[in-house]
Amino acid sequence: MSPSPIYLGVVGVGGVGTAFLSQLARFPNPPKLVLLARSSQTVLAPTPAYSNIPAVDWATAAATPSVTKTGALPAEEIATYLASAPGRAILVDNTSDINLAKSYPTFLKKGISVVTPNKKGFSDDLSLWKDIFSSAAEGNAHVYHESTVGAGLPVLSTLKDLVATGDEVTRIEGVFSGTLSFLFNTFAPASGPSNAQWSAVVAQAKELGYTEPDPRDDLNGMDVARKLTILARLAGLEVSRPDSFPIESLIPEALASLPSSADGITEFMTRLPEFDSQMANIKDSAEKEGKVVRYVGSIDVSNKAVKVGLQYFDKDSAIAGLKGSDNIISFYTKRYGSNPLIVQGAGAGGDVTAMGVAADLIKVMDRLQ
Amino acid sequence: MSPSPIYLGVVGVGGVGTAFLSQLARFPNPPKLVLLARSSQTVLAPTPAYSNIPAVDWATAAATPSVTKTGALPAEEIATYLASAPGRAILVDNTSDINLAKSYPTFLKKGISVVTPNKKGFSDDLSLWKDIFSSAAEGNAHVYHESTVGAGLPVLSTLKDLVATGDEVTRIEGVFSGTLSFLFNTFAPASGPSNAQWSAVVAQAKELGYTEPDPRDDLNGMDVARKLTILARLAGLEVSRPDSFPIESLIPEALASLPSSADGITEFMTRLPEFDSQMANIKDSAEKEGKVVRYVGSIDVSNKAVKVGLQYFDKDSAIAGLKGSDNIISFYTKRYGSNPLIVQGAGAGGDVTAMGVAADLIKVMDRLQ
């Protein structure tokens, strides 16, 4: 039997959004793309036909004569438009917009499933988390967000399977930021002592585009804290906020109050070398124990303790041996015993993040058909 | 809305089957167990009510007065019974029986989904593989078999996601046998030279229950070859048979013709020490290159080359550093670049294998509801 068509709205056409559209264009059985939006503009399939937008990228979509163009639409209007489609609908949110995330319950209650790499909504107040999942149940809709942690790596799906089949997850530990992975793998490689200065490594990473435009957005640890919040909640802990547990910031105290303007970024990068000796001391002290320092997140499920910060690791450990900007996530569980279940690989980048989104989309389509 | 009930038949109550039943008993929304079979006996919910068999294990099921007991049923009869249930049905095959596997197409054509850790059917003739998946499409049924490779580790689901989203998998490599992992991690640890004799390590593994009752069933490499066959087929290679590519057997040539009887096993174990010097030579030659020997499987997708056998690895590589009887599987893909996506952890054992089965069952139920 031929499955009924599924209607798709996509918001966000940045790095992940663009990579996602190019993967979507090669689906053997694609959903009908009926809405594509970026911050300033929206293209819509005209109603009531809801014909497919022939889009492999934003430019093609925006240049298609038959589609309707409007400015930015409020989330409520996007939800109403998708809910009116003559079949099940899915929203793919490829933004990192907290406001769009706050409207997921509106979509879900209307029966529109949500697929997204946007971690903001899932790591905000616990009340929003609960609202998202109760709205999904109410609307008989699905929420998949694999790429909110570790990009396309099978992290959330693995944790969900462990929990759903009754395993007892005791501890989750790992390197959750591609940026911080690169910084520490370069600053303190496990292969032997390095003379790299911390500020020079940060500058290099910024140059390579591995950091956010403002490197403090990586160094403050909040990105890692948001990912830990999501994992901890899936493991059953009621984490109230992403800043409700200890987070060690790598922004020197003295530079914490610099403004977030372009000038502020420049001043931060200029003054960062003043603190190289602090980071060198940490590296040396790890080295004296035959270890290396890494920036990790850990969740002690039994003791309900979540924390993010620097820790020393044996040089022959898997965490110390990470390469490039790879992530590593270790699940310690009752069934897996003393050796954890480990997932490792690139945890950032447009293509692999979009892959997690595309794979989630396929799973939701499978469930709706 | 309340989902319609799903009817479940389970065949096999050995180590995996027993662990599976105990996980099933804790499902918050379990399917209706209406058939439970072991090789000599079958218990059935009486028709037409198809009430639930209150079973957390075989003994409880068999002792329930209200259920129907028969001897072993042919697969065809089990399929007819499940197809008559007043809703969608799923067969969970917890055996390693090739004959039951050969009847999957019969189940699938009748619309009965199949969930199983039984690798026999998926690694047999390519014609059976094709028959299974075309029958599933014909019957609008699903086939999930995560635990056929790496037990509960997310191996097949990850490979399927990579392929479905259009990534190009170039190479898959790893340690796919918990038994052979233990043998080589003990015989040639990466942490430093060991005086362990090969035959003593095999005897120890046999004693610990890590090998099959006949250790030759591990040492002949066929278990690994069957797993590689499944992975290669999912990656798009048309592997005709599990013995259609090079497989290095660890059974010494001179002992290859010993009978498979209990006496044959005893003679094999008694004579194995005669060949310790051969294995010691291999270990030493790896050691001279600063490496360790491991038994691995690899699939070179681009060159359509599958092989199973001994290979040397740097001591600081992830494969060399494996612990206990862990598996490790590395996926090299276009999107993931030079650093592979790695999955690692226990790849054998009743609980973790059953976990893969239980997680698959939940996914199939989600798709049927």
Side-chain angles (χ1 to χ4, degrees):
Chain A
M1 66 186 195
S2 168
S4 40
I6 288 171
Y7 297 84
L8 179 68
V10 177
V11 182
V13 288
V16 174
T18 300
F20 168 78
L21 286 176
S22 106
Q23 293 181 22
L24 178 69
R26 293 194 301 266
F27 273 29
N29 299 301
K32 273 189 150 181
L33 179 65
V34 293
L35 179 146
L36 183 61
R38 59 176 183 177
S39 48
S40 57
Q41 204 183 357
T42 308
V43 303
L44 299 150
T47 55
Y50 284 94
S51 53
N52 198 43
I53 300 176
V56 291
D57 52 34
W58 172 261
T60 310
T64 302
S66 63
V67 303
T68 308
K69 285 110 183 166
T70 74
L73 290 185
E76 178 72 43
E77 277 184 46
I78 295 176
T80 303
Y81 172 84
L82 288 174
S84 307
R88 298 301 302 264
I90 302 171
L91 171 76
V92 170
D93 169 16
N94 283 327
T95 74
S96 57
D97 180 359
I98 177 67
N99 289 314
L100 183 52
K102 282 182 177 167
S103 69
Y104 294 162
T106 305
F107 286 86
L108 293 162
K109 278 181 196 149
K110 290 179 191 286
I112 302 162
S113 294
V114 173
V115 171
T116 185
N118 178 357
K119 66 179 86 67
K120 295 284 173 59
F122 303 95
S123 55
D124 205 76
D125 281 339
L126 183 60
S127 59
L128 178 56
W129 170 275
K130 290 184 173 174
D131 195 11
I132 288 171
F133 290 99
S134 66
S135 299
E138 188 186 326
N140 193 28
H142 306 294
V143 185
Y144 278 62
H145 56 105
E146 182 63 75
S147 286
T148 55
V149 179
L153 296 175
V155 177
L156 301 192
S157 54
T158 299
L159 177 55
K160 284 180 190 174
D161 283 352
L162 291 166
V163 172
T165 61
D167 199 355
E168 195 183 308
V169 179
T170 52
R171 193 154 61 89
I172 305 171
E173 172 183 271
V175 171
F176 294 92
S177 155
T179 309
L180 292 165
S181 180
F182 175 84
L183 292 178
F184 283 93
N185 300 343
T186 310
F187 177 61
S191 52
S194 132
N195 293 321
Q197 294 298 304
W198 176 249
S199 62
V201 175
V202 174
Q204 182 196 358
K206 186 173 187 302
E207 193 118 323
L208 290 167
Y210 289 0
T211 67
E212 295 292 322
D214 185 343
R216 290 172 295 181
D217 290 339
D218 297 298
L219 298 173
N220 66 12
M222 277 312 295
D223 171 72
V224 177
R226 286 189 176 276
K227 291 167 181 167
L228 271 277
T229 300
I230 295 170
L231 287 169
R233 286 173 177 172
L234 286 174
L237 299 188
E238 298 224 319
V239 178
S240 64
R241 295 264 323 154
D243 52 7
S244 62
F245 49 83
I247 304 164
E248 184 176 352
S249 172
L250 297 177
I251 300 174
E253 194 77 31
L255 304 184
S257 57
L258 290 178
S260 58
S261 60
D263 281 356
I265 299 174
T266 305
E267 189 177 347
F268 175 77
M269 293 302 291
T270 307
R271 292 188 54 192
L272 195 56
E274 296 169 22
F275 304 89
D276 278 345
S277 63
Q278 281 183 21
M279 289 301 282
N281 286 343
I282 293 171
K283 175 158 74 170
D284 292 347
S285 118
E287 182 67 40
K288 270 180 203 132
E289 298 180 26
K291 299 185 176 187
V292 290
V293 62
R294 292 291 181 268
Y295 193 85
V296 297
S298 66
I299 302 166
D300 178 341
V301 182
S302 328
N303 295 310
K304 302 186 180 180
V306 184
K307 66 177 181 185
V308 171
L310 296 174
Q311 219 171 292
Y312 298 170
F313 289 89
D314 288 333
K315 287 184 178 177
D316 66 352
S317 68
I319 283 186
L322 272 194
K323 303 270 189 297
S325 55
D326 278 5
N327 284 190
I328 184 169
I329 297 96
S330 298
F331 297 99
Y332 292 84
T333 83
K334 195 173 168 200
R335 280 187 203 137
Y336 277 88
S338 53
N339 295 346
L341 189 170
I342 298 173
V343 176
Q344 181 180 331
D351 278 345
V352 295
T353 305
M355 176 214 146
V357 178
D360 275 354
L361 175 60
I362 291 171
K363 284 167 198 158
V364 172
M365 289 173 65
D366 282 343
R367 293 187 65 172
L368 293 179
Q369 264 158 356
Chain B
M1 67 185 192
S2 169
S4 40
I6 287 172
Y7 297 83
L8 179 69
V10 177
V11 182
V13 288
V16 174
T18 299
F20 168 78
L21 287 177
S22 106
Q23 292 180 23
L24 179 69
R26 292 194 303 264
F27 273 29
N29 299 302
K32 272 188 150 181
L33 180 66
V34 293
L35 179 146
L36 183 62
R38 58 175 184 178
S39 47
S40 58
Q41 204 182 358
T42 309
V43 302
L44 299 150
T47 55
Y50 284 94
S51 53
N52 198 45
I53 300 176
V56 291
D57 52 35
W58 172 261
T60 311
T64 302
S66 63
V67 303
T68 307
K69 285 112 185 167
T70 74
L73 289 185
E76 179 72 43
E77 276 184 48
I78 295 176
T80 303
Y81 171 84
L82 289 174
S84 308
R88 298 300 304 262
I90 302 171
L91 171 76
V92 170
D93 169 16
N94 283 327
T95 74
S96 57
D97 180 359
I98 178 66
N99 289 314
L100 183 52
K102 282 182 175 167
S103 69
Y104 294 162
T106 305
F107 286 85
L108 293 162
K109 278 180 195 149
K110 289 179 192 285
I112 301 161
S113 295
V114 173
V115 171
T116 185
N118 178 357
K119 65 179 85 69
K120 295 283 172 59
F122 302 95
S123 55
D124 204 75
D125 282 338
L126 183 61
S127 59
L128 179 56
W129 171 274
K130 289 184 173 175
D131 196 12
I132 288 171
F133 291 99
S134 66
S135 299
E138 187 184 327
N140 193 27
H142 306 294
V143 186
Y144 277 63
H145 55 107
E146 182 64 74
S147 287
T148 56
V149 179
L153 297 175
V155 177
L156 301 191
S157 54
T158 298
L159 177 55
K160 284 180 191 175
D161 283 351
L162 290 167
V163 171
T165 60
D167 200 354
E168 195 183 307
V169 179
T170 51
R171 194 154 61 91
I172 305 171
E173 171 183 273
V175 171
F176 295 91
S177 155
T179 309
L180 292 166
S181 181
F182 175 84
L183 292 178
F184 284 93
N185 300 343
T186 310
F187 177 60
S191 52
S194 133
N195 293 322
Q197 294 297 306
W198 176 249
S199 63
V201 175
V202 174
Q204 183 196 359
K206 184 173 189 301
E207 194 118 322
L208 290 167
Y210 290 180
T211 69
E212 296 292 324
D214 185 345
R216 291 171 296 181
D217 290 339
D218 297 298
L219 298 173
N220 65 13
M222 278 312 296
D223 171 71
V224 177
R226 285 189 176 276
K227 291 168 180 167
L228 270 278
T229 300
I230 295 170
L231 286 169
R233 286 173 177 173
L234 286 175
L237 299 187
E238 296 225 319
V239 178
S240 64
R241 296 263 324 153
D243 52 7
S244 63
F245 49 84
I247 304 163
E248 184 175 352
S249 172
L250 297 177
I251 300 173
E253 194 77 32
L255 303 184
S257 57
L258 291 178
S260 60
S261 61
D263 281 355
I265 299 174
T266 306
E267 190 177 347
F268 174 77
M269 293 303 290
T270 308
R271 292 189 54 193
L272 196 54
E274 297 169 22
F275 304 88
D276 277 345
S277 62
Q278 281 183 18
M279 288 301 282
N281 286 343
I282 292 170
K283 175 158 74 169
D284 293 346
S285 117
E287 182 67 40
K288 270 179 203 132
E289 299 180 24
K291 299 185 175 189
V292 291
V293 61
R294 292 291 181 266
Y295 193 84
V296 297
S298 66
I299 302 167
D300 178 340
V301 182
S302 328
N303 295 311
K304 301 185 179 180
V306 184
K307 66 177 182 184
V308 172
L310 296 174
Q311 218 172 293
Y312 297 171
F313 289 88
D314 288 332
K315 287 184 177 176
D316 66 352
S317 67
I319 283 186
L322 271 194
K323 304 271 189 295
S325 55
D326 278 4
N327 284 192
I328 184 169
I329 297 96
S330 298
F331 296 99
Y332 292 83
T333 83
K334 195 173 167 203
R335 281 187 202 136
Y336 277 88
S338 53
N339 295 346
L341 190 171
I342 298 174
V343 176
Q344 181 180 332
D351 278 344
V352 295
T353 305
M355 176 214 148
V357 178
D360 275 354
L361 175 60
I362 291 170
K363 283 167 199 159
V364 172
M365 289 173 65
D366 281 344
R367 294 188 64 172
L368 294 178
Q369 263 157 357

